Amino acid sequence: MTRILVLHSVNLLRSALTALLRAEGPFDVAAAAWTRAEQQAESLQPDVCVVDVDCPGASAVLDGDGPARTGVLGRNTALLVLATAARPGSLRRAFQAQAHGYVDKDGSPGRLVQAIHKVAGGERSVDASLASALLENGSTPLSKRERSVLARAADGDSVDEIAHALHLARGTVRNYMASAGRKVGARNRVDAIRISRQAGWV
C-alpha cells in the first residue's frame, strides 16, 4: 500500500484531498498543516508527499535546505506538486526542489491518482500543460534568501520576527526586502509581495 502525506495550510482542502485519495486507491493517507508536517512524516514514513505549490508554507519543502525539508522529504519520499500553468514561477521552484510529479490543479482527480502511482514506482509524471509552462519560464529574478524574506513578510511576520527566524540582522532583512522590490519593479513592500506571489516566486 502506498503511503501518502498531504500537506496544505487550509483544513478543508487537506480533508478533501485526503478523502479523495482514500476513495480512489489502495492508499494509506495522512494529512497535516505545515506546523505538524515533520511529526506526521516521521509517523507515516510516506512514499509520496503531495504539496500545493501555491499554498502558504510550501516554501518549507520547496525552498528549504535544513531540518524542515529533510524531516518531511526523507530519502525515499517522492515530492509530487499540485500547480497551475498560470504561475510558472511556482513550477520553477518545484523543479529546483527536484519534484518527481507535477499535476495540474485544473485537471481531473484521476490524473492525480495516476501521478501518485507513477512517482511511487520511481517514475516521473508531468502533465503536458505544466511541462509547456515550465519550459517557457525563465528563472526567478530573486535570490533564495530574498524569496525567504518575502515569503515570511507575506505571511505577516514583522522585520524582527523575520530576522529572528532566519538568523539575520534587522538591517539585513530590510536590505533583502529593498533588493527584492527593486528586482521586481515594486513601489513598496506590499507591491513586491503581490508581484512575487502572482508570478509564483514566493
Side-chain angles (χ1 to χ4, degrees):
M1 182 174 284
T2 302
R3 299 182 301 273
I4 304 169
L5 175 60
V6 175
L7 298 179
H8 206 290
S9 61
V10 180
N11 183 50
L12 180 61
L13 296 180
R14 268 198 321 269
S15 300
L17 282 169
T18 301
L20 167 70
L21 293 173
R22 285 177 178 160
E24 291 289 333
F27 301 138
D28 180 7
V29 187
W34 296 104
T35 54
R36 298 208 24 93
E38 290 182 62
Q39 296 95 318
Q40 196 66 269
E42 183 178 351
S43 173
L44 182 65
Q45 296 292 303
D47 301 303
V48 180
C49 181
V50 177
V51 175
D52 182 339
V53 294
D54 300 319
C55 167
S59 58
V61 170
L62 295 181
D63 301 332
D65 54 8
R69 177 178 168 81
T70 55
V72 174
L73 296 179
R75 187 172 51 191
N76 298 316
T77 304
L79 174 61
L80 186 150
V81 298
L82 307 177
T84 174
R87 299 193 66 188
S90 295
L91 287 171
R92 177 62 58 178
R93 289 169 62 213
F95 178 77
Q96 291 169 341
Q98 300 179 334
H100 293 76
Y102 301 77
V103 176
D104 193 331
K105 288 190 281 190
D106 291 325
S108 69
R111 288 291 306 140
L112 174 58
V113 173
Q114 291 171 11
I116 287 172
H117 283 302
K118 289 183 80 171
V119 300
E123 298 180 59
R124 300 269 178 185
S125 179
V126 184
D127 282 358
S129 58
L130 301 182
S132 298
L134 183 57
L135 289 172
E136 292 170 3
N137 179 57
S139 60
T140 172
L142 302 175
S143 70
K144 185 175 180 179
R145 187 60 89 181
E146 288 165 345
R147 292 198 314 269
S148 297
V149 167
L150 273 185
R152 288 188 172 273
D155 288 340
D157 287 2
S158 67
V159 170
D160 285 346
E161 289 169 330
I162 296 170
H164 177 73
L166 298 181
H167 309 290
L168 298 170
R170 291 191 298 272
T172 304
V173 170
R174 291 191 185 93
N175 288 340
Y176 278 126
M177 286 185 177
S179 173
R182 286 192 300 272
K183 287 182 178 179
V184 302
R187 297 184 302 273
N188 51 45
R189 181 186 309 178
V190 173
D191 198 33
I193 291 169
R194 178 188 61 78
I195 292 168
S196 299
R197 273 196 160 168
Q198 284 179 346
W201 295 327
V202 299

